[in-house]
Amino acid sequence: MRHGVLVSALLIANMLMATRLTRTLTLSCSIPPLLKRTSHSIFHPKQFSKSRPCPLWSSSFSFCLEALHKSTSPSFACACACSSSLSAPSMAASAIDDLVEANPLLKDFEFPPFDVVEPKHVRPGIRTLLKKLEGELEELERTVEPSWPKLVEPLEKIVDRLSVVWGIVNHFKSVKDSSELRSAIEDVQAEKVKFQLRLGQSKPIYNAFKAIQESPEWQRLSDARRRIVESQIKEAVLNGVSLEDDKREQFNKIEQELERLSQKFGDNVLDATKKFEKLITDKKEIEGLPATALGLAAQSAVSKGHENATAENGPWVITLDAPSFIAVMQHARNRSLREEVYRAYIARASSGDLDNTEIIEQILKLRLEKAKLLNYNNYAEVSMATKMATVDKAEELLEKLRRASWDAAVQDIEDLKIFSRSQGALEADDLKHWDISFWSERLRESKYDINEEELRPFFSLPKVMDGLFSLAKTLFGIEIEAADGLAPVWNNDVKFFRVKDSSGSPIAYFYFDPYSRPSEKRQGAWMDEVVARSRVLSRDGTSARLPVAHMVCNQTPPVGNKPSLMTFREVETVFHEFGHALQHMLTKQDEGLVAGIRGIEWDAVELPSQFMENWCYHRETLMGIAKHFENGESLPEDVYLKLVAARTYRAGSLSLRQIKFASVDLELHTKYVPGGPESIYDVDRRVSEKTQVIPPLPEDRFLCSFSHIFAGGYAAGYYSYKWAEVLSADAFSAFEDAGLDNGKAVKETGHKFRETILALGGGKAPLEVFVQFRGREPTPDALLRHNGLLSVAASG
């Protein structure tokens, strides 16, 4: 969610003075997520979606929508002349009026009507909205002046209206997918993109922003307003506003096709993931799977028609949905089962009607054409135009981190070989990809005496959320309370919360959708903006509109009468997504276009989320949430110490995995020539030679499900996870310096973090915000230290 102005590349120069590495967000950080974001800003409402995929396996983390402000403009209903006699045409018009009036997408609301929106509302709702916004845009262009009231405020209202309504539709696509919804979206998508392009290429609006920048008033504008103006000028150029008519037409065709292809890519991944299911009737085949995984597999079997399936006696259905897939890879003793599931996972969306290979080729070809039209050498340069980094600085960081990680990752594999050999494993001298997670878990259990599954009873979802909210109160002085029933929800499992400041006044709200629903919900974990804080879109005309967020996860649902029992990694995931939500909700920025996460450069936006993960290892925080769900017993002290010790376990391997994703992303968007002598898979294998200790299988097609860069917002931007990890680790080190056991110092530092990192939004350049908090520019030392790689980097 990062629309913004190009920031000084100085940051990395500093960050890279030491060697570095970054702690890859483990599976917990959030299985990736997905919303599309190009380099457009307010001119591209959909791009407000902050798809923040959180790194490892694959999914997405969308982010955007805005609450419909209370409209003072004419009704959405079509106006028709009154007549004493009802002719056929007037009856038809009346029917249209009724349809519009009944469409929940077009009503005024404080919270979106998630409980009543259906696929049938999408076509008439979006088309009616676009027609109305087209009229408002024409009026704005006719009356525009280079002033805030005559330019930015009406523009924000147009963007907001489309953003919130399309955001509702897009959100349903992520959490309540259906063939009817897909069909409806496909039918109106081209019309939506056409309007976005019309808005993004408006010369009257562009010229008005230029006039503001060149006016005597420029220096008197606030930081936030200058950021908005600079950003919109840059983004308008990236939207093709300066292109000649024929080139602009070509550009627009490219944008339309990229939108369609990205949507299709994501659909194929979801369908391919849902398509695989393996029915198991013999319990010997799934030996090693923990009780929670067996319960989940039995629930899946019931949903597939095996009504009498039980965790104890089966049958069981294994799927490629993250909780099922991960459990098999980590715990199934049946090596052939692990192999089958692994091969299915890496081959998702790579064959038959769901094959994404040609879609990837077309996406890369069109992105390169787009870059050339905008006078850039490649698409990565277009991506970096609105980020903190440059291509060179991103590559420099990745290479330094790769060098710091490589030897440690090689040793990780050697350790697994030695350990598996000691356990009599026949595969010890020839470990395959489907063996790594399994033996890693066994070695972790042996080395630290920690069994993630045995820890689940200590991490029940209700207790984890209570502890998370308690931490937020300590650090940031806020109260979070349940507000179920206040806002409509899309599923009975969704919870709604109110956030209050120290005076008891509401300052934000958020939804939390925690559980996996493989039949309709995409994988991953993500935070979405529902509405942003905004002075212009105040509902009462005085106080700013309050921000509202989504938090979506895919963890194991309750089984039987037990609550959702979480792995430690799932705990980290919740903390991570809550960090994103905090930056959205605790903003004090009233300029809606840079409030919360808006306007923050993409490669800085993971700072608060990764920062929050650190608290999972903070003794007081962890021991506060780790209570056995049945008897309330605290996590044993020795287990806590082992968890902390295990934090750096396989840090080199985990880091390399992220570096591989980021490197192949940059390679495809800088040097790859679509249709050239090298295939996308050749590029993947070439990058893997330097980033994977065990080479990928020849048939590995992970790129076909790499939703982050082909259906999400991370094209030529996946490096952002590593970049932001440097920032987040350094930010957390401020608390370490103050003393984590010093309650007063922690609160003071937390207040400072809130007033800078969380409050300022995109209204100030992220490097300036960081310096304001930390008192200096960032260094990677804290990250390398947290990963246990500081000495490795130094010796390198």
Side-chain angles (χ1 to χ4, degrees):
M1 202 50 254
R2 13 337 122 177
H3 319 294
V5 150
L6 182 59
V7 178
S8 166
L10 246 113
L11 168 62
I12 266 317
N14 267 345
M15 288 158 66
L16 298 179
M17 286 176 57
T19 336
R20 32 335 241 55
L21 167 64
T22 181
R23 165 176 119 54
T24 170
L25 305 183
T26 73
L27 286 175
S28 68
C29 152
S30 71
I31 302 169
L34 137 343
L35 225 265
K36 162 131 190 248
R37 193 246 183 216
T38 64
S39 55
H40 311 338
S41 120
I42 65 166
F43 290 131
H44 239 300
K46 179 183 178 194
Q47 270 43 72
F48 270 142
S49 308
K50 147 86 185 163
S51 209
R52 322 197 141 107
C54 294
L56 270 167
W57 293 87
S58 121
S59 180
S60 152
F61 147 25
S62 63
F63 150 82
C64 151
L65 301 85
E66 300 257 85
L68 214 48
H69 62 286
K70 195 170 186 72
S71 177
T72 54
S73 51
S75 162
F76 283 105
C78 302
C80 32
C82 292
S83 172
S84 57
S85 63
L86 290 175
S87 63
S90 66
M91 288 174 67
S94 177
I96 292 174
D97 282 354
D98 291 342
L99 271 176
V100 171
E101 281 296 324
N103 195 315
L105 291 174
L106 300 179
K107 291 185 178 296
D108 177 44
F109 46 74
E110 184 173 5
F111 302 113
F114 287 124
D115 57 336
V116 294
V117 173
E118 298 178 32
K120 68 180 181 182
H121 297 128
V122 173
R123 293 180 185 88
I126 295 299
R127 284 174 175 150
T128 301
L129 178 64
L130 290 174
K131 184 175 181 180
K132 181 178 188 301
L133 295 181
E134 187 78 37
E136 291 182 5
L137 176 56
E138 290 173 1
E139 175 67 12
L140 172 58
E141 290 180 323
R142 188 179 65 79
T143 61
V144 70
E145 296 175 8
S147 69
W148 221 255
K150 290 286 192 175
L151 169 62
V152 183
E153 292 181 6
L155 179 61
E156 182 180 345
K157 289 178 181 179
I158 292 173
V159 171
D160 188 86
R161 186 70 65 103
L162 179 57
S163 178
V164 67
V165 176
W166 187 257
I168 295 171
V169 173
N170 216 31
H171 178 63
F172 271 102
K173 181 74 171 52
S174 298
V175 298
K176 210 174 178 64
D177 187 39
S178 69
S179 58
E180 294 81 9
L181 181 59
R182 287 187 188 184
S183 176
I185 290 175
E186 288 172 7
D187 284 352
V188 298
Q189 187 167 270
E191 297 164 53
K192 177 193 73 87
V193 176
K194 181 180 179 182
F195 176 77
Q196 289 176 327
L197 290 167
R198 162 93 169 76
L199 179 63
Q201 295 168 354
S202 170
K203 288 199 171 179
I205 292 175
Y206 171 69
N207 290 335
F209 274 117
K210 292 280 287 183
I212 288 179
Q213 191 178 44
E214 294 163 4
S215 74
E217 293 296 313
W218 174 248
Q219 293 302 325
R220 289 192 285 274
L221 290 181
S222 66
D223 288 346
R225 292 191 170 187
R226 283 203 298 271
R227 286 267 291 176
I228 289 171
V229 172
E230 291 169 341
S231 174
Q232 296 323 307
I233 292 171
K234 178 184 287 289
E235 303 273 11
V237 172
L238 294 175
N239 271 300
V241 72
S242 302
L243 297 176
E244 297 302 322
D245 291 346
D246 56 337
K247 289 187 176 181
R248 189 185 306 166
E249 184 178 350
Q250 182 185 356
F251 181 93
N252 291 352
K253 287 180 179 177
I254 288 173
E255 289 290 80
Q256 286 279 11
E257 185 63 3
L258 282 173
E259 182 95 359
R260 186 189 71 81
L261 290 170
S262 292
Q263 195 83 34
K264 180 62 175 171
F265 183 99
D267 289 347
N268 285 350
V269 174
L270 180 61
D271 290 347
T273 301
K274 291 194 296 185
K275 187 176 181 181
F276 177 91
E277 57 183 62
K278 182 174 178 61
L279 178 66
I280 295 177
T281 56
D282 185 352
K283 194 166 188 176
K284 289 182 180 178
E285 290 189 45
I286 52 174
E287 284 184 356
L289 283 192
T292 50
L294 291 174
L296 183 62
Q299 282 189 180
S300 294
V302 171
S303 71
K304 304 296 182 182
H306 303 276
E307 297 177 1
N308 298 319
T310 65
E312 180 62 30
N313 300 314
W316 306 270
V317 169
I318 301 299
T319 70
L320 297 182
D321 200 47
S324 178
F325 170 74
I326 295 169
V328 170
M329 298 314 298
Q330 291 183 340
H331 301 291
R333 294 180 190 144
N334 183 343
R335 193 182 185 216
S336 62
L337 175 63
R338 298 201 307 267
E339 178 179 358
E340 180 182 354
V341 173
Y342 178 83
R343 287 183 181 275
Y345 191 84
I346 63 168
R348 285 179 305 157
S350 66
S351 62
D353 295 340
L354 302 178
D355 192 349
N356 274 336
T357 304
E358 183 56 32
I359 290 178
I360 293 174
E361 192 74 16
Q362 286 300 309
I363 287 175
L364 292 173
K365 177 175 177 289
L366 291 172
R367 284 175 178 169
L368 181 59
E369 288 180 15
K370 174 180 171 178
K372 298 290 188 183
L373 282 173
L374 295 173
N375 292 318
Y376 287 94
N377 293 314
N378 52 59
Y379 185 77
E381 291 182 359
V382 176
S383 173
M384 300 293 185
T386 52
K387 293 182 173 66
M388 295 178 72
T390 62
V391 174
D392 289 345
K393 290 300 181 183
E395 290 178 339
E396 183 180 350
L397 173 63
L398 291 174
E399 176 56 21
K400 287 179 180 291
L401 297 178
R402 189 196 70 81
R403 289 203 304 269
S405 306
W406 181 262
D407 288 348
V410 170
Q411 187 60 51
D412 287 342
I413 296 298
E414 191 59 32
D415 291 344
L416 291 186
K417 288 179 180 178
I418 294 170
F419 177 75
S420 59
R421 192 179 300 125
S422 73
Q423 302 302 301
L426 298 177
E427 66 268 24
D429 293 321
D430 188 27
L431 292 179
K432 302 295 187 183
H433 292 279
W434 48 88
D435 299 318
I436 302 303
S437 291
F438 177 80
W439 286 110
S440 293
E441 286 306 300
R442 305 293 78 75
L443 178 55
R444 183 204 301 270
E445 291 166 3
S446 172
K447 190 173 184 178
Y448 302 102
D449 194 22
I450 291 177
N451 181 312
E452 283 236 329
E453 288 301 317
E454 291 178 1
L455 291 181
R456 278 187 190 266
F458 289 96
F459 297 118
S460 66
L461 178 62
K463 195 66 183 174
V464 169
M465 298 308 291
D466 286 347
L468 181 56
F469 296 164
S470 176
L471 175 66
K473 180 178 181 179
T474 297
L475 294 179
F476 311 124
I478 57 175
E479 294 274 359
I480 300 173
E481 63 184 18
D484 293 322
L486 181 62
V489 295
W490 54 92
N491 184 281
N492 289 336
D493 290 332
V494 177
K495 302 299 181 185
F496 191 67
F497 296 94
R498 179 190 291 112
V499 182
K500 300 190 297 186
D501 62 17
S502 56
S503 71
S505 301
I507 55 174
Y509 300 89
F510 69 97
Y511 303 82
F512 181 40
D513 183 355
Y515 308 131
S516 170
R517 295 190 298 277
S519 64
E520 63 178 11
K521 185 178 178 182
R522 77 164 183 256
Q523 292 190 54
W526 62 94
M527 169 266 170
D528 284 347
E529 171 189 316
V530 181
V531 304
R533 182 179 175 89
S534 171
R535 170 188 54 83
V536 170
L537 293 165
S538 166
R539 293 188 63 82
D540 60 13
T542 54
S543 56
R545 182 182 63 182
L546 300 183
V548 183
H550 296 140
M551 272 176 59
V552 184
C553 294
N554 261 287
Q555 64 198 55
T556 306
V559 176
N561 58 0
K562 295 180 180 179
S564 175
L565 300 178
M566 306 166 68
T567 66
F568 184 65
R569 293 175 179 180
E570 287 174 335
V571 174
E572 285 183 298
T573 298
V574 170
F575 273 62
H576 177 100
E577 302 308 336
F578 190 63
H580 283 305
L582 284 171
Q583 190 170 36
H584 174 63
M585 297 188 295
L586 300 190
T587 186
K588 292 188 176 179
Q589 179 58 257
D590 286 341
E591 295 293 345
L593 298 178
V594 288
I597 308 169
R598 292 181 172 190
I600 298 177
E601 281 72 358
W602 189 284
D603 39 12
V605 84
E606 293 291 334
L607 192 169
S609 55
Q610 295 175 346
F611 163 82
M612 286 300 294
E613 288 184 62
N614 288 284
W615 293 99
C616 294
Y617 295 90
H618 177 231
R619 188 186 183 288
E620 184 178 342
T621 300
L622 184 64
M623 298 302 274
I625 65 177
K627 307 289 185 183
H628 198 285
F629 81 101
E630 289 178 318
N631 55 32
E633 288 183 6
S634 296
L635 187 74
E637 177 70 17
D638 64 319
V639 177
Y640 164 70
L641 295 174
K642 290 169 184 173
L643 271 176
V644 173
R647 183 178 186 179
T648 59
Y649 177 62
R650 304 193 74 240
S653 296
L654 293 173
S655 180
L656 271 192
R657 180 178 176 83
Q658 288 298 88
I659 292 166
K660 183 262 175 76
F661 290 165
S663 299
V664 75
D665 171 33
L666 283 182
E667 189 76 11
L668 288 172
H669 288 104
T670 53
K671 303 179 181 68
Y672 177 67
V673 180
E678 226 183 8
S679 74
I680 55 173
Y681 304 118
D682 292 333
V683 173
D684 183 36
R685 281 188 286 273
R686 177 161 52 76
V687 170
S688 296
E689 290 175 3
K690 296 180 67 177
T691 56
Q692 282 189 237
V693 178
I694 299 180
L697 297 177
E699 62 270 32
D700 189 306
R701 295 291 181 267
F702 112 88
L703 286 174
C704 287
S705 59
F706 197 2
S707 295
H708 278 75
I709 69 171
F710 296 120
Y714 281 79
Y718 200 91
Y719 77 90
S720 299
Y721 283 106
K722 288 307 187 190
W723 188 283
E725 272 190 285
V726 170
L727 300 174
S728 63
D730 199 350
F732 185 74
S733 72
F735 290 81
E736 294 174 318
D737 293 347
L740 290 173
D741 295 327
N742 183 336
K744 183 172 181 290
V746 165
K747 286 185 177 182
E748 290 174 351
T749 310
H751 176 75
K752 190 174 182 182
F753 187 90
R754 177 181 174 178
E755 294 301 309
T756 53
I757 306 294
L758 301 181
L760 296 177
K764 183 174 281 194
L767 180 56
E768 294 177 32
V769 175
F770 185 91
V771 171
Q772 194 171 331
F773 167 66
R774 199 68 179 93
R776 57 164 174 74
E777 295 190 358
T779 78
D781 292 356
L783 177 62
L784 293 167
R785 174 167 49 80
H786 291 168
N787 281 281
L789 294 165
L790 191 57
S791 60
V792 177
S795 63

